[in-house]
Amino acid sequence: PEVRSHVRSVLAAMGDAAAEEMARQLADCEDSVHSQRLAEAMGDLGHAGGSHAGVLVEKLAHSDVAVWRAAGEALVRLGSVAAEALAERLGQLRPMHAYVRMRLEEVLRWMGSEGAAVLAEQVASAQRAQVRMHAARALGRMGAVSLPFLEVLAARLYKETDAAARRAAAEALARLGPSGGAHLTLCL
């Protein structure tokens, strides 16, 4: 463990070159333990690792919980660049990818207000109704961290044409307590 920690520190100091090589290795890696360690190390890279956040996002689909969790934790440490990669992937998912969507939403919850902002953006402007629906549900499940986005949910409820997405926005507002309920009554 001490040697791995030291190596991760050295790689972090190398910046972009290390990030590019680790991302390449992680994308091609079949071994769960090595994938987990590469993901953890990428989280230590800061801004340099952020440019390769897409590789970490793809590892959220890994069957080994230790790998997708390490990738998720690395994404949280990478911050806003990673949040953008998560949002992009969320918009691409299809119904058959439910487990990946749930993992993406979990990582966005770990990100707190930054993750809530990503979900709010999806609620407000995603092209596909299904993406808006899932983003609204996830935003409602985040609790108090979603309160700054009540207006986004209310606007979606008011203008949404898809019944499932409209219902998800209403349920999200209801989950957010009295403040959300007040927005619901404005839509009557």
Side-chain angles (χ1 to χ4, degrees):
E2 283 184 40
V3 172
R4 276 195 301 273
S5 177
H6 179 68
V7 168
R8 284 168 51 180
S9 296
V10 170
L11 288 169
M14 290 175 64
D16 291 336
E20 190 170 327
E21 179 58 23
M22 282 193 286
R24 187 191 62 73
Q25 286 185 28
L26 183 58
D28 297 334
C29 190
E30 299 288 330
D31 179 68
S32 291
V33 173
H34 192 59
S35 291
Q36 177 185 352
R37 291 181 180 157
L38 283 166
E40 290 168 349
M42 283 187 71
D44 293 339
L45 294 176
H47 182 68
S51 60
H52 302 285
V55 174
L56 290 165
V57 170
E58 291 306 315
K59 286 298 175 179
L60 294 178
H62 200 281
S63 61
D64 186 326
V65 67
V67 173
W68 76 257
R69 229 174 141 73
E73 290 169 0
L75 287 162
V76 170
R77 289 195 307 276
L78 293 177
S80 62
V81 174
E84 291 171 21
L86 287 163
E88 181 180 331
R89 184 68 176 115
L90 191 62
Q92 298 166 351
L93 294 176
R94 300 289 179 215
M96 67 191 119
H97 302 120
Y99 72 98
V100 177
R101 180 187 42 76
M102 290 171 30
R103 290 175 184 175
L104 285 167
E105 291 172 5
E106 183 173 353
V107 172
L108 288 166
R109 275 194 302 277
W110 295 345
M111 293 179 123
S113 60
E114 200 165 27
V118 166
L119 289 168
E121 179 61 32
Q122 293 293 313
V123 168
S125 62
Q127 295 287 328
R128 293 178 37 235
Q130 185 175 13
V131 174
R132 295 189 303 272
M133 176 190 71
H134 288 302
R137 284 183 180 157
L139 200 55
R141 287 191 293 264
M142 289 183 79
V145 74
S146 297
L147 290 175
F149 305 104
L150 288 171
E151 300 290 333
V152 173
L153 287 165
R156 177 52 53 202
L157 176 62
Y158 182 72
K159 68 182 180 180
E160 182 60 62
T161 57
D162 180 82
R166 189 172 47 252
R167 184 173 42 254
E171 290 169 355
L173 285 166
R175 289 184 93 160
L176 295 174
S179 298
H183 281 79
L184 279 172
T185 60
L186 294 175
C187 294
L188 292 176

